[in-house]
Amino acid sequence: MSHDGQQKSSSLTLVLMVASAAIGGTLQYGYNLAITNAPTTFIQTFINETFAARWAVQLEDFQVTLVWTVIVSIFSLGGLGGAIIAGPMSIRFGRKKCLLLSNIFLLSGALLALASRAAGSVEMIVLSRVLIGINAGIGMNVQPMYFGESAPKHLRGAVSLSSAVFTAFGVVLGQVVGLREILGSESRWQYLLASNAIPGLIQLLTLPWFPESPRYLLIDRGDKEACVDALRRLRGREVPSSELAEILQERAETAGARPSRPWELFRDRSVRWQLISVMVVSSAMQLCGNDSIYFYASYVFKEAGISNEQIQYVTIGTGTCEFTACIMCNLLIERKGRRFMLMGGFVLMTVWALVFTVALSFEHLISWMPYLSMACVFTYILSFGMGPPGVTGVLPTEIFTQTARPAAYMIAGSMMWLNLFIVGMIFPFLVSEMRQYCFVPFGTVCLLSALYVGLVLPETKGKSLSAITDEFHKLNFRHEEGPCGGRSRYRAGEASASTAL
């Protein structure tokens, strides 16, 4: 085979590997965010009927809303559990096998959801959401690691950002499948909740054919032959000597060092601001309220004055906006940089939250205000997709070493899922109680996040890990003075971070 033919074949292998991993990975997160919105009314009716049949109790509206909120938000607690176990699983089993094993939780949850209606059990739906959340939590953490460690350096940002693209695609897919004409009707909602098994089955059938992360094979397992074979499949028959040398150098620098544990990162001064940055950005991802819009789109658009008949079609536009924005972010991030895209997204979201508040305040006085409210939701989501989801996913890969990366992703994922649970629980009550001011808290979070990124987070585009570490060093040891302070004392702690990603 010619050199060009080898390159095309290896590029196709990388593309197909990304698609296979993402279909059963981050796509599941977006898909399961979206599918709960369409059957809201039907499942609430099922909750009422179940309580009436089992305990002869007629629930009040706020009680039904509370049970429904638990069903929706418990997905986040499952995701938190998945994020916690993702690090140890990815170290023990490898990135690829970890993704495959997570489908055990997915298929078990889908089976429970499918049987819940016939069994007349709300508890089965709750347990199903927990198990599916565990699957999504593992995928959201392990998939970016797998991509970042498998892609060539010049494609690492774009490949890692494909995680956000597939998340947005999952949202759109879930919204389309959730239409009343497909699976979002009263008679088919249990099939809708179980339909997430299909992407999982696709991954189980396809991902075993692709290689494990080359960096994991050599650095974590010490298997140079398997690493070379994986690189050959992903890069072509001729393995780039510079890339192999880089991985060997990182292995030498981390020789004898076991993978860091989360609590060790909290005690390690040399990564203090890296860890704070990851925690702030991951928390802001959910505290900005964007993903909760997918959980409770009916509440948001009803408040914006959209008729019940039109809401299901309008919600598809929200997912389409984020999907389009994520693709644009993928194209622009290597030109504009991570910091610019992240800060720009939060600034724009602050502006649209303010405009949305004004529009809701005057919707009963001006006839066209409901349309402005709806436009604000779309632009808010569009602004979100332009930066936060893509950059947040790739950030731990770029600022942490191989040994610290699983723990960093575990912490980042835990913050994301915990905050998603908090916002998911309070969101419907926030909308009903604060009404036109419901987006003021989210706008405040966006403003504070933009300020943090602008003042603290360094640009990582095109920089080696050692260069990024040097910039964080100025924050981590800024109070050290004198020629013997700071740098010389902690140089040994930074040695393992001196190789480029």
Side-chain angles (χ1 to χ4, degrees):
M1 186 183 290
S2 66
H3 179 71
D4 289 342
Q6 293 172 16
Q7 288 295 105
K8 289 180 180 178
S9 177
S10 60
S11 298
L12 180 61
T13 299
L14 180 63
V15 169
L16 293 176
M17 184 203 80
V18 167
S20 176
I23 283 172
T26 54
L27 180 140
Q28 289 284 10
Y29 172 67
Y31 189 80
N32 287 291
L33 281 181
I35 60 172
T36 53
N37 180 65
T40 297
T41 304
F42 307 132
I43 297 180
Q44 287 178 343
T45 302
F46 173 70
I47 293 168
N48 237 332
E49 291 174 348
T50 301
F51 274 74
R54 193 182 299 176
W55 294 295
V57 174
Q58 185 65 39
L59 297 180
E60 297 183 26
D61 287 346
F62 84 92
Q63 292 174 317
V64 173
T65 300
L66 180 61
V67 176
W68 170 241
T69 303
V70 170
I71 290 174
V72 171
S73 299
I74 204 73
F75 171 72
S76 310
L77 287 187
L80 176 61
I84 291 171
I85 66 174
M89 282 184 67
S90 67
I91 294 168
R92 179 169 182 176
F93 301 109
R95 302 353 180 192
K96 184 181 80 169
K97 191 176 291 185
C98 182
L99 288 172
L100 291 170
L101 289 173
S102 71
N103 286 292
I104 295 172
F105 300 104
L106 173 72
L107 297 176
S108 300
L111 186 62
L112 284 172
L114 188 64
S116 61
R117 186 170 189 172
S121 174
V122 176
E123 296 86 351
M124 289 175 70
I125 300 178
V126 173
L127 183 56
S128 165
R129 294 285 293 171
V130 172
L131 292 171
I132 291 166
I134 292 173
N135 167 262
I138 293 171
M140 289 290 286
N141 277 23
V142 177
Q143 185 184 305
M145 272 195 285
Y146 185 35
F147 288 175
E149 294 172 4
S150 300
K153 186 180 293 185
H154 67 285
L155 293 176
R156 195 165 293 158
V159 170
S160 297
L161 280 170
S162 65
S163 296
V165 174
F166 274 93
T167 299
F169 178 63
V171 169
V172 178
L173 185 63
Q175 290 169 338
V176 172
V177 174
L179 288 172
R180 294 189 191 96
E181 294 84 353
I182 304 178
L183 291 180
S185 65
E186 194 280 333
S187 61
R188 294 191 291 266
W189 60 260
Q190 70 273 26
Y191 301 110
L192 175 62
L193 295 185
S195 61
N196 45 36
I198 297 174
L201 290 171
I202 293 173
Q203 184 184 77
L204 283 172
L205 292 172
T206 57
L207 191 57
W209 298 96
F210 297 101
E212 177 58 89
S213 154
R215 285 178 177 268
Y216 170 79
L217 290 170
L218 183 53
I219 297 174
D220 290 84
R221 285 180 47 186
D223 192 339
K224 183 178 178 181
E225 185 178 339
C227 172
V228 171
D229 182 63
L231 284 172
R232 186 175 289 117
R233 292 180 63 189
L234 292 169
R235 308 288 188 268
R237 186 164 296 179
E238 295 181 7
V239 177
S241 57
S242 59
E243 184 172 3
L244 183 58
E246 179 185 313
I247 301 174
L248 285 168
Q249 181 186 353
E250 186 172 349
R251 185 196 176 199
E253 290 173 343
T254 58
R258 57 171 174 76
S260 300
R261 295 181 173 90
W263 54 88
E264 292 173 340
L265 293 188
F266 283 104
R267 296 199 301 261
D268 188 351
R269 187 176 176 183
S270 68
V271 296
R272 179 177 297 170
W273 280 97
Q274 291 95 313
L275 192 60
I276 291 173
S277 297
V278 164
M279 292 174 68
V280 167
V281 175
S282 298
S283 298
M285 266 273 291
Q286 304 303 340
L287 293 178
C288 71
N290 182 82
D291 286 348
S292 294
I293 292 175
Y294 299 124
F295 275 156
Y296 303 111
S298 298
Y299 287 92
V300 176
F301 288 121
K302 196 175 293 182
E303 191 65 28
I306 308 302
S307 66
N308 290 330
E309 292 74 21
Q310 298 300 317
I311 284 177
Q312 68 164 344
Y313 303 106
V314 173
T315 54
I316 295 177
T318 61
T320 305
C321 275
E322 185 174 341
F323 182 50
T324 303
C326 285
I327 293 175
M328 292 172 61
C329 180
N330 211 327
L331 297 174
L332 292 173
I333 194 163
E334 295 299 343
R335 296 182 182 180
K336 299 296 184 181
R338 281 63 158 155
R339 187 165 171 266
F340 176 86
M341 300 299 290
L342 190 59
M343 186 168 62
F346 282 129
V347 168
L348 288 174
M349 290 168 74
T350 304
V351 172
W352 293 118
L354 179 63
V355 176
F356 188 41
T357 302
V358 173
L360 289 176
S361 300
F362 290 95
E363 69 175 358
H364 299 299
L365 301 176
I366 303 175
S367 60
W368 48 267
M369 275 298 172
Y371 299 103
L372 178 59
S373 299
M374 185 171 66
C376 286
V377 173
F378 286 133
T379 51
Y380 191 84
I381 292 172
L382 191 67
S383 303
F384 174 82
M386 285 297 293
V391 178
T392 302
V394 75
L395 195 60
T397 300
E398 295 193 326
I399 66 177
F400 285 95
T401 62
Q402 181 87 4
T403 53
R405 199 170 293 143
Y409 267 107
M410 192 187 309
I411 294 169
S414 297
M415 296 303 299
M416 187 188 77
W417 286 103
L418 183 60
N419 285 293
L420 178 61
F421 174 74
I422 293 170
V423 176
M425 284 295 293
I426 68 172
F427 194 88
F429 301 102
L430 198 67
V431 172
S432 60
E433 294 299 323
M434 295 189 69
R435 302 187 68 81
Q436 68 266 34
Y437 302 110
C438 61
F439 263 70
V440 170
F442 303 131
T444 303
V445 168
C446 292
L447 178 60
L448 294 175
S449 302
L451 289 173
Y452 179 88
V453 172
L455 296 173
V456 176
L457 192 67
E459 179 55 67
T460 61
K461 183 192 76 168
K463 294 181 181 178
S464 67
L465 185 55
S466 59
I468 296 168
T469 302
D470 284 342
E471 293 201 42
F472 274 111
H473 170 85
K474 299 170 186 176
L475 293 171
N476 292 326
F477 305 111
R478 59 185 168 186
H479 297 303
E480 296 289 339
E481 296 178 358
C484 295
R487 187 72 178 176
S488 61
R489 289 172 56 194
Y490 296 99
R491 186 67 184 176
E494 291 182 0
S496 63
S498 64
T499 188
L501 279 174

